[in-house]
Amino acid sequence: MLHVELVLQGLVNGSMYAVVAIGLTLIYGLLRILHVAHAGLYTLGAYITVLTTNATGSLALGILAAMLVVGLCGMLVYRLLYEPMLERPPYVALIASIGLFICMEESYRIVFGPYGSSFDMPRLGERIALGPISIAAADAAMLVGAIVLLTGLAMLMRRTRFGVAWRATVTDPAMARSFGIDTIKVRYVNFFIASVFAAAAGSLVAVLNNLVEPTMGSVPSYKSLAIIVLGGLGQVGGTLAAALLLGVIEAYGTIYAGAYLDRDAIAFIFLIVVLMIRPQGLFARGS
Amino acid sequence: MGAYELTLVAVVSINVMLALGLNLITGFCGQVSLGHAAFFGTGAYAAALMAAAGWPLPVVLVAGGVTAAVLGLLVGFTSLRVREDFLAITTMGVGFVFVGFVRKQGWLGAEMGLTNIPDHGLGDIGFILMCLGLVAAMAAISAHIKRSWLGFGFAAVADDEATARTLGINVPLYKLAAFVIGTFLAGVAGAVYVYFTRFIIPGAFGFTVSISILSMVIVGGVGSLWGVIVAAVLLTLLPEFSRVINDYKLLLYGALIVLTMRFAPDGLAGIVTSLSRRLRRSET
Amino acid sequence: MRIRLKYLALALSVTGWVCAPAQAQDVVKIGFHAPLTGFAAADGKSAKQGAELAVAQANAAGGINGKKIQLVVYDDEGKPENTIPLANKLIGQDKVAIAVSGGYSGPTRAAAPVFNRAGMVYLSAYAIHPDITKAGDFIFRTGMMGEVQGRAGAKLMADMLKKKKVVIVAVNNDFGQALTAGVEEVAGKFGLNIVKKYTFAMPDRQFGPLVAQVKADAPEVIYAPGYFFNAGPLVAQLRAAGVDVPIIGQEGYDSQRFIEIAGKASEGVIVTTSLDRDSKSPATRAFIDDYEKAYKDRVDMVAASGNAAATVAIEALRKAGSLDGKALRDFIRANAFETSIGKLSFNGLGEVKKPVQVQVVKDANFHHYAVIDDLVLLAPPEK
């Protein structure tokens, strides 16, 4: 039973990583930007969720507000920061993004205070029993939330005009333009969707921990970079698999390797080992 | 100069050494590293163990550099296998693995760190002179490399690996050389740090340190020797001169990085170059 | 391009502002540093507010022989190397009479030798590294050592709660390491059986795998050193998983934020700490009431510790008869001090001697549970 629960808990953490990292991978896939400040938007989403929920009493409204506001912020970040840098070497955007992330964390500390915030009423504290195995309602919400979001993304990519336009733009922007696809618009929508994912992840984590803090994005910021590399930069399916796998590996690592290594180092040991064997990433197609 | 100014000079010197080391790797040779603090830390821990065991200062400095360079060589090999974005993240990973490993090692003091480090025996002024001497030596080495065949090779690799290869440049060899020399400097800086604080903990070599070293190189202007030195001095002293805006200093630090990348991606060096070019144009 | 340069110049000039503090002759200065930015900013803010309150209270009561007290506050960012110039600045530039650390172990351990060499008294409010006071005889610690508090935790579990089978889940830093060592040190004496030990990182908020494992270990009691931001989610997740054995926390839990985060799950959690919320002592009552009035926020252990260290500093400045370092040192060494965390006196090493408060969470507040005043068990090291 213990192992079933460990795997389950690993999948809960992994699905959280997945929702954050999918947004990053969408952005990398299209523009080759390593968007570290994505985790700053995730934190913003968490704060908006908690503050709106406390003000209105509705968690659904809080999550909706977070997704909308953060989605727009993501587009703004693209317009003001990244768009003028696209012709520059990739490290320019990376460093700018790190700077922006520092600014965001500091702004949250100054505006919301260093102590963090919680829901007035803790949410989903109960537990759901599934035969001999039980799972906390908040964990279940995380899993279900991730499945809904990722399925939604898959539908969007496969079934809609945007999906076709996105894939065409990734494969060959010039060709896409010649077919009349507005590649500029694709970029904005791309940033909007990626940021909505960051906000959703922030909301789910806020519910899970009943705690949002200015620095809550720092671990996801670098860990999700490791995940998108493992997933083979820009591969949505690979990113998902890498996130879940990492969640489970960490679950076991916490218990069995805790005496030798920090949990947060596990992701990078895994990363370095994989890159030495497969420099193009674990799940990259071809090379 | 009082004790305050002297200790400030020591902190600035250590940061300039770190920035010069990273400038060799990222600036001259174009290999973006987000894990420079790991080499700094490796040198510091090696130096702390050596110093505590009673080795004299010069041996400790060299040992710190050599230990860091050995790790640098290993990481350099990874740079041969992965392309640039992957390398940035791999080196970041090396930083996290280093801290995650040291935190759990009883023989390295784990979370309590190492405290039994003897005095350097140079006196306050002597120590500062040593720091400044090391900075000058490292700057001179950097300047020499930049003008030499090695520096030409680095620049070729940084510019375009494929072209460098067609020119007959042994790309892997140059990359490894950049990593070994750059991390050696970081290791020496680590040894100096050990004598300065006489106390080290794993947290002093974390990701934020790597980021702040990289910002010095970037704000100064990637590859520009004097730009990087000026930026390292300015960014280190920034918090000292801004006590009045204590609460906002990290915010301003972040904003400075963003604004530099957005409006002057070639850093201080780029600003000066374009200014002087315009001056010259207006004269003619 | 011209506009771009203007932006940059503006940014540089804003950041380059130099502050020239007003130099008044009729003030006595107390130096203070704490992490006001970075990962420990929450504790830094509490410690600073606690110390500021002590200064405000003392100034309202006439200052030091008619002179006003001024707290000179710097941000140490939690970095050891930054704190060395900062300590030198407090000594040489600001010319403070005495200094207080509201910071963590790293900065405090790095600064202690600087103050000791200058012959200036330096009081550490809550940093727990054992080597801090070993820097010399001008260095004092008003907070409890981690090992001492760990020993108190062992007594609480084995003697008072009669639980012998314990699992330790500790934050992976100096705090968690020292507390764990304290429990292990006296486990044999109390017949405690430490079944398993696990660690988590300071940024961890999700403990799913640990919770599943602890549940499988089936301990009688859980000893879980950590901070409120770890402890809130950890306790909530343990309780949600149906683990209902007693959970023992330490001073890191001692914040109203812990109760807000964990909600109902926090009920019944017992912590060893310094501050007794139900104390009748006038010093403690004045601290709790004034703090809540001044900052519109609830007190926590860190604020109380910052307050207590500053109070000792002020008392010494008032009564030692001289602002000279040696006089202050000898006065602190020879006397006992009434503070918000009880009556404090110091041993030969500069370590505080005081009882440990045991508090329990009841009706969403910390309340008195017991006091451990076995001074043999709680004796800090002498060298």
Side-chain angles (χ1 to χ4, degrees):
Chain A
M1 260 333 88
L2 171 64
H3 290 283
V4 178
E5 283 199 19
L6 280 182
V7 171
L8 201 59
Q9 288 298 339
L11 291 176
V12 170
N13 270 356
S15 57
M16 180 197 95
Y17 295 153
V19 179
V20 181
I22 288 289
L24 266 188
T25 225
L26 285 176
I27 289 169
Y28 188 88
L30 194 62
L31 297 166
R32 284 203 64 189
I33 294 171
L34 288 171
H35 177 36
V36 177
H38 193 59
L41 294 171
Y42 152 91
T43 311
L44 182 63
Y47 265 107
I48 294 175
T49 307
V50 170
L51 297 178
T52 313
T53 306
N54 285 348
T56 62
S58 160
L59 179 63
L61 195 65
I63 296 178
L64 223 67
M67 288 164 104
L68 195 67
V69 174
V70 172
L72 293 174
C73 285
M75 288 162 68
L76 209 62
V77 169
Y78 170 69
R79 172 68 191 86
L80 296 179
L81 193 66
Y82 295 135
E83 195 174 48
M85 294 178 181
L86 291 177
E87 303 304 316
R88 294 273 171 185
Y91 74 82
V92 172
L94 172 66
I95 307 292
S97 192
I98 290 172
L100 178 63
F101 182 50
I102 295 173
C103 286
M104 287 169 133
E105 282 196 333
E106 282 300 294
S107 309
Y108 303 147
R109 183 183 62 77
I110 292 163
V111 176
F112 304 120
Y115 297 108
S117 307
S118 301
F119 292 109
D120 293 340
M121 296 275 296
R123 309 266 158 173
L124 305 177
E126 58 276 9
R127 208 167 170 82
I128 304 164
L130 306 160
I133 298 160
S134 66
I135 180 169
D139 288 347
M142 180 83 235
L143 277 175
V144 173
I147 292 168
V148 169
L149 284 165
L150 295 171
T151 316
L153 182 70
M155 306 275 278
L156 188 76
M157 285 299 179
R158 298 240 162 106
R159 302 276 165 83
T160 64
R161 291 172 63 100
F162 170 75
V164 174
W166 191 88
R167 277 178 287 143
T169 313
V170 168
T171 321
D172 189 342
M175 185 69 88
R177 257 191 305 276
S178 73
F179 276 99
I181 291 170
D182 183 349
T183 52
I184 303 297
K185 194 170 132 199
V186 168
R187 288 173 181 174
Y188 278 101
V189 177
N190 188 52
F191 257 88
F192 181 80
I193 294 173
S195 307
V196 163
F197 268 75
S203 301
L204 289 167
V205 168
V207 171
L208 204 58
N209 298 350
N210 192 30
L211 172 62
V212 300
E213 302 151 281
T215 54
M216 67 186 282
S218 52
V219 174
S221 73
Y222 54 75
K223 209 174 276 179
S224 48
L225 287 180
I227 290 165
I228 66 169
V229 173
L230 282 170
L233 286 169
Q235 308 287 337
V236 173
T239 302
L240 178 62
L244 294 178
L245 189 59
L246 180 65
V248 174
I249 289 178
E250 278 192 352
Y252 277 88
T254 311
I255 306 300
Y256 298 105
Y260 320 105
L261 204 65
D262 237 25
R263 184 179 90 170
D264 290 335
I266 294 172
F268 288 101
I269 298 245
F270 187 40
L271 172 85
I272 292 168
V273 170
V274 167
L275 284 185
M276 288 306 98
I277 301 165
R278 273 178 71 89
Q280 68 275 35
L282 201 51
F283 300 103
R285 278 180 231 122
S287 58
Chain B
M1 268 219 256
Y4 166 60
E5 288 84 357
L6 287 178
T7 46
L8 218 47
V9 172
V11 174
V12 169
S13 304
I14 291 167
N15 281 338
V16 173
M17 291 180 213
L18 290 169
L20 285 174
L22 185 61
N23 190 41
L24 276 168
I25 301 169
T26 303
F28 290 3
C29 198
Q31 308 298 303
V32 174
S33 166
L34 288 171
H36 208 55
F39 308 109
F40 177 38
T42 305
Y45 272 93
L49 292 177
M50 296 280 287
W55 291 87
L57 185 135
V59 179
V60 171
L61 289 183
V62 174
V66 169
T67 319
V70 170
L71 182 67
L73 185 65
L74 287 176
V75 175
F77 276 113
T78 67
S79 78
L80 308 181
R81 290 213 27 102
V82 297
R83 60 191 170 87
E84 53 188 40
D85 296 340
F86 281 47
L87 180 65
I89 295 168
T90 308
T91 48
M92 176 172 90
V94 170
F96 280 105
V97 173
F98 170 76
V99 175
F101 173 77
V102 174
R103 275 185 194 289
K104 301 283 187 176
Q105 303 305 311
W107 59 285
L108 294 175
E111 291 291 346
M112 293 295 178
L114 295 172
T115 50
N116 54 342
I117 296 150
D119 187 65
H120 44 69
L122 299 173
D124 288 353
I125 306 282
F127 183 69
I128 297 305
L129 290 177
M130 181 194 84
C131 288
L132 293 173
L134 284 170
V135 167
M138 289 182 188
I141 291 170
S142 295
H144 180 72
I145 287 177
K146 199 173 182 181
R147 279 194 310 267
S148 71
W149 177 251
L150 192 61
F152 170 73
F154 284 166
V157 172
D159 211 37
D160 186 347
E161 277 185 39
T163 316
R165 228 170 265 125
T166 58
L167 287 175
I169 287 171
N170 187 343
V171 173
L173 199 67
Y174 280 93
K175 282 189 183 176
L176 289 180
F179 266 98
V180 168
I181 304 172
T183 54
F184 179 84
L185 301 193
V188 174
V192 174
Y193 177 93
V194 162
Y195 281 111
F196 176 61
T197 56
R198 295 178 62 192
F199 168 57
I200 53 172
I201 45 172
F205 309 103
F207 184 51
T208 48
V209 179
S210 294
I211 294 299
S212 71
I213 305 167
L214 187 62
S215 342
M216 290 166 192
V217 174
I218 302 285
V219 170
V222 172
S224 157
L225 191 58
W226 64 265
V228 168
I229 294 175
V230 171
V233 175
L234 277 182
L235 286 177
T236 312
L237 294 182
L238 188 93
E240 292 300 321
F241 289 135
S242 56
R243 294 286 176 213
V244 66
I245 41 169
N246 236 332
D247 208 32
Y248 300 95
K249 75 177 173 219
L250 258 183
L251 184 66
L252 284 166
Y253 185 79
L256 190 64
I257 295 174
V258 173
L259 290 174
T260 311
M261 286 297 97
R262 173 70 179 78
F263 297 108
D266 297 323
L268 295 176
I271 294 174
V272 171
T273 314
S274 70
L275 271 182
S276 65
R277 198 174 298 146
R278 199 174 321 155
L279 271 177
R280 231 172 293 144
R281 208 176 300 143
S282 63
E283 274 166 18
T284 51
Chain C
M1 191 63 207
R2 187 162 299 146
I3 297 170
R4 292 175 187 181
L5 282 173
K6 215 188 286 170
Y7 281 129
L8 205 72
L10 185 74
L12 281 168
S13 71
V14 169
T15 52
W17 274 344
V18 183
C19 146
Q23 291 291 338
Q25 291 305 312
D26 50 353
V27 296
V28 178
K29 290 182 184 173
I30 299 178
F32 182 86
H33 68 86
L36 301 174
T37 53
F39 68 98
D43 278 346
K45 187 176 178 188
S46 288
K48 172 171 162 267
Q49 290 182 349
E52 281 175 344
L53 183 67
V55 169
Q57 286 170 331
N59 278 336
I64 292 169
N65 309 324
K67 289 185 180 179
K68 286 273 178 246
I69 308 165
Q70 187 194 340
L71 194 70
V72 183
V73 179
Y74 290 134
D75 177 12
D76 65 34
E77 299 167 62
K79 293 179 186 165
E81 69 276 17
N82 278 19
T83 319
I84 293 175
L86 203 150
N88 279 310
K89 194 177 188 190
L90 286 171
I91 297 164
Q93 256 65 11
D94 300 309
K95 307 215 180 306
V96 301
I98 193 167
V100 172
S101 161
Y104 280 21
S105 291
T108 310
R109 175 62 184 79
V114 178
F115 285 108
N116 195 70
R117 203 169 76 155
M120 181 176 291
V121 171
Y122 180 53
L123 300 140
S124 164
Y126 64 101
I128 55 100
H129 199 294
D131 287 355
I132 290 170
T133 47
K134 288 180 191 161
D137 55 359
F138 286 91
I139 314 299
F140 295 87
R141 183 188 339 244
T142 53
M144 244 182 302
M145 287 186 72
E147 281 81 358
V148 171
Q149 200 179 161
R151 284 182 237 148
K155 184 183 167 76
L156 171 64
M157 291 186 282
D159 249 26
M160 301 162 79
L161 300 173
K162 309 286 180 218
K163 307 285 184 194
K164 303 289 186 188
K165 195 181 160 197
V166 56
V167 165
I168 299 180
V169 184
V171 63
N172 187 27
N173 69 359
D174 52 351
F175 180 65
Q177 196 174 318
L179 285 156
T180 305
V183 173
E184 287 176 324
E185 190 188 329
V186 294
K189 184 181 153 196
F190 288 110
L192 265 183
N193 172 20
I194 301 172
V195 190
K196 287 272 181 62
K197 287 194 295 181
Y198 306 102
T199 59
F200 56 84
M202 207 161 147
D204 279 0
R205 305 291 181 264
Q206 269 133 38
F207 303 93
L210 270 177
V211 166
Q213 180 66 39
V214 169
K215 197 174 159 189
D217 293 336
E220 292 171 4
V221 59
I222 298 165
Y223 189 71
Y227 302 93
F228 68 83
F229 41 76
N230 308 120
L234 174 65
V235 168
Q237 288 164 30
L238 278 167
R239 292 298 185 234
V243 178
D244 52 9
V245 299
I247 299 170
I248 307 303
Q250 310 65 27
E251 58 186 24
Y253 285 46
D254 190 346
S255 160
Q256 202 65 27
R257 291 288 297 125
F258 163 67
I259 296 168
E260 286 167 24
I261 298 162
K264 281 203 176 62
S266 66
E267 292 289 315
V269 169
I270 303 173
V271 305
T272 53
T273 183
S274 311
L275 181 64
D276 178 10
R277 300 294 200 294
D278 296 335
S279 168
K280 300 277 185 295
S281 136
T284 310
R285 286 262 62 89
F287 166 69
I288 294 177
D289 296 343
D290 289 357
Y291 189 93
E292 285 170 5
K293 213 178 297 158
Y295 301 110
K296 309 273 177 288
D297 200 357
R298 305 291 292 271
V299 294
D300 56 29
M301 182 284 300
V302 173
S305 301
N307 182 268
T311 303
V312 172
I314 292 166
E315 277 297 293
L317 292 172
R318 258 190 196 147
K319 295 181 183 157
S322 156
L323 299 185
D324 173 60
K326 283 200 183 70
L328 293 169
R329 174 195 66 188
D330 296 340
F331 182 83
I332 293 174
R333 185 142 295 185
N335 288 280
F337 298 83
E338 201 60 61
T339 72
S340 52
I341 56 172
K343 198 167 188 144
L344 312 182
S345 59
F346 299 89
N347 77 1
L349 187 62
E351 295 289 352
V352 71
K353 293 185 283 187
K354 67 169 181 202
V356 172
Q357 298 294 334
V358 183
Q359 303 268 297
V360 62
V361 179
K362 218 164 87 187
D363 305 326
N365 277 301
F366 284 105
H367 284 293
H368 177 83
Y369 182 82
V371 177
I372 299 176
D373 50 10
D374 178 349
L375 289 179
V376 179
L377 177 74
L378 301 181
E382 291 283 346
K383 57 182 174 191

